[in-house]
């Protein structure tokens, strides 16, 4: 064992022994870590795009849409009434006094990682299921399969109303057009091309 | 696009460099772990655990980092036992683990490349078999050692540190007895 090794062993021993008397590593006590850990064990709750559209249209009190994507993505496309906010800023915020439903919009894992921390801090947060792409496919460009049954057609009527409210363009798929899931786009075009198409069509919000 | 990849890339390169310089790209050296003649892997990995634990604890204690922001993997004992056993078998057969196989491959060793390809195939097989394996993951809860044992955080840190130092001393003795040349 060299002198360096002995030094490292001694440092580890000192830090390990000192930890016995150092107390909890967080000023708030272990309860905060425990709360985060407990919350992290639960499934992250999600909110579907259609339900979000319904709440936005109905101006549900306390609804707040926080977009965690970077500024370039936010500038390219944003949800109605949403605000862009950095994750550290959001986590540092104090909970509001009144009722709040915080809808997190993200393309990565930030929203899922933030949820247990927000939950531990007493915030009521949900993640937009499918993110911005879900909003575009389900609200702005919903497609009803050509041979949909009556139940699906009835549901599509409500989605169509929501879609038109937000400037979307609901349509019925052409015969033979592949629509794998309700309201899904029939092609695999990228977010950018959809935004361009919607923007070229004009209307509110563009 | 997030710039989070940059520190991850730098840390990854530094990790790979340190492994290579420590001789961890050599399957023969790693195989010595299982023959109890060279316990370098054990000492390196346990040192990494100790460094991360003491670093995380003390940096949080002095307020430089927020442990709330540290991601925790879910605790799934059954899946982790099964995965650990499979990992061990693969480690013995290949003489390499995931990190060291990448280091070996980048160093130009064909056994490392074979291990990396096998690892990729394993990932694909796991993904294909996921529907049948999902039940192993149970409730997906996250549990820390202090929580599970009901002990103060600092006490667990002290106990793990003590156990590590005893284990390091034992490893040195075993190596000396099994004939490895131990640096004076």
């Amino acid at each position: 064992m060299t002198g360096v090794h002995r030094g490292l062993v001694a440092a580890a021993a000192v830090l390990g022994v000192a930890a016995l008397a150092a107390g909890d590593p967080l000023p708030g006590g272990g309860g905060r870590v425990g709360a985060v850990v407990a919350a992290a064990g639960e499934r992250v709750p999600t909110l579907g795009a259609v339900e979000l559209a319904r709440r936005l249209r109905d101006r549900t009190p306390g609804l707040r849409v926080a977009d965690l994507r970077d500024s370039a993505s936010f500038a390219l496309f944003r949800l109605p009434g949403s605000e862009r906010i950095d994750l550290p800023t959001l986590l540092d915020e104090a909970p509001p006094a009144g009722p709040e439903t915080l809808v997190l919009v993200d393309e990565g894992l930030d929203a899922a990682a933030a949820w247990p921390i927000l939950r531990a801090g007493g915030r009521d947060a949900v993640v937009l299921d499918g993110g911005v792409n879900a909003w575009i496919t389900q609200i702005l460009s919903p497609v009803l399969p050509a041979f949909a049954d009556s139940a699906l057609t009835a549901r599509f009527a409500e989605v169509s109303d929501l879609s038109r409210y937000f400037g979307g363009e609901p349509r019925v798929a052409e015969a033979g057009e592949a629509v794998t899931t309700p309201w899904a786009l029939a092609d695999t075009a990228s977010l950018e091309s959809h935004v361009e198409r919607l923007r070229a069509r004009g209307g509110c919000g563009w | 696009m997030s710039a989070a990849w940059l520190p991850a890339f730098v840390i990854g390169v530094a990790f790979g460099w340190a492994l290579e310089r420590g001789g961890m790209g050599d399957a023969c050296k790693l195989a010595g772990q299982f023959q109890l003649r060279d316990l370098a892997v054990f000492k390196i990995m346990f040192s990494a655990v100790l460094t991360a634990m003491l670093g995380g604890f003390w940096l949080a204690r002095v307020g430089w980092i927020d442990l709330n922001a540290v991601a925790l993997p879910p605790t799934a004992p059954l899946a982790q036992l099964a995965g650990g056993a499979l990992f061990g078998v693969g480690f013995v057969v290949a003489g390499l683990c995931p990190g060291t196989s990448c280091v070996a491959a980048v160093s130009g060793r064909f056994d490392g490349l074979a291990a990396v390809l096998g690892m990729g195939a394993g990932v694909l097989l796991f993904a294909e078999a996921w529907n049948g394996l999902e039940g192993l993951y149970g409730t997906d809860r996250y549990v820390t050692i202090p929580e599970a044992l009901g002990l103060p955080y600092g006490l667990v840190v002290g106990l793990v540190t003590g156990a590590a130092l005893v284990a390091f001393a034992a490893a040195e003795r075993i190596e000396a007895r099994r004939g490895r040349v131990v640096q004076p």
Side-chain angles (χ1 to χ4, degrees), chain A residues 1 19 22 25 32 37 40 70, chain B residues 1 58 60-61 68 142 154 161 183:
Chain A
M1 187 181 287
R32 192 177 167 206
V37 168
D70 59 44
Chain B
M1 178 184 286
W58 282 105
R61 190 66 190 88
N68 286 332
Y142 295 60
T161 303
Q183 289 183 352

Side-chain angles (χ1 to χ4, degrees), chain B residues 82-137:
Chain B
L86 188 61
F87 180 95
V89 171
F91 201 159
V92 170
V93 171
L96 297 163
C97 68
T100 55
S101 65
C102 292
V103 170
V106 172
S107 306
R109 296 171 193 267
F110 284 110
D111 57 343
L113 187 60
V116 168
L117 291 175
M119 192 165 61
V123 169
L124 287 175
L125 280 174
F126 177 78
E128 287 297 321
W130 171 251
N131 287 338
L133 296 172
E134 197 173 0
L136 280 176
Y137 286 78

Side-chain angles (χ1 to χ4, degrees), chain A residues 1-2 5 9 12-13 15-20 22-27 32-34 36-38 40-43 70 73 117, chain B residues 1-2 50 54 57-58 60-61 66-69 72 139-144 147 153-155 157-158 161 165 182-184:
Chain A
M1 187 181 287
T2 66
H5 290 147
V9 167
L15 290 173
V17 171
L20 296 171
D24 198 275
L26 284 171
R32 192 177 167 206
V33 175
V36 171
V37 168
E42 299 174 26
R43 298 284 182 193
D70 59 44
S73 300
I117 304 172
Chain B
M1 178 184 286
S2 168
L50 203 58
L54 288 171
F57 178 87
W58 282 105
R61 190 66 190 88
D66 182 1
L67 280 184
N68 286 332
L72 297 172
T139 57
D140 210 20
R141 294 285 300 175
Y142 295 60
V143 182
T144 61
E147 270 198 339
Y153 198 141
L155 179 59
V157 169
T161 303
L165 296 181
V182 179
Q183 289 183 352

